[in-house]
Amino acid sequence: MSGMTDSAQVQRINAQCLAAEPAPPDHRPRYRHRVTNKSYVLVLELGGACELEGIDRRCIHQTRAVLDDPEIWTRIP
């Protein structure tokens, strides 16, 4: 059946299927706060200051020296 075009409904379904492609993997460094056992993602680092975002989307700030302390923070592979 050459020469026929897809209906509007088929075009919408195809567009939704294309939008559902998996997101690219997130390669940002992850850390776990040993005291509270909460996980964070390193969002921004400027100078010696780091901004970490938790799963609840709240941000906390730490210095690089504190973040590198293994008694407080653990790097998640």
Side-chain angles (χ1 to χ4, degrees), residues 39-77:
S39 297
Y40 293 89
V41 174
L42 182 63
V43 180
L44 180 67
E45 183 175 3
L46 292 172
C50 300
E51 183 176 0
L52 298 126
E53 183 179 296
I55 195 165
D56 57 357
R57 306 289 257 177
R58 293 183 183 179
C59 292
I60 63 170
H61 298 90
Q62 295 290 319
T63 63
R64 174 47 74 180
V66 173
L67 199 58
D68 289 337
D69 186 356
E71 294 181 5
I72 301 172
W73 291 95
T74 304
R75 173 86 188 261
I76 301 171

Side-chain angles (χ1 to χ4, degrees), residues 23-39:
D26 187 6
H27 296 291
R28 297 181 294 182
R30 298 180 183 280
Y31 292 89
R32 181 174 309 276
H33 190 243
R34 295 182 65 137
V35 178
T36 61
N37 203 29
K38 290 185 179 180
S39 297

Side-chain angles (χ1 to χ4, degrees), residues 1-5:
M1 296 194 174
S2 61
M4 297 186 69
T5 60

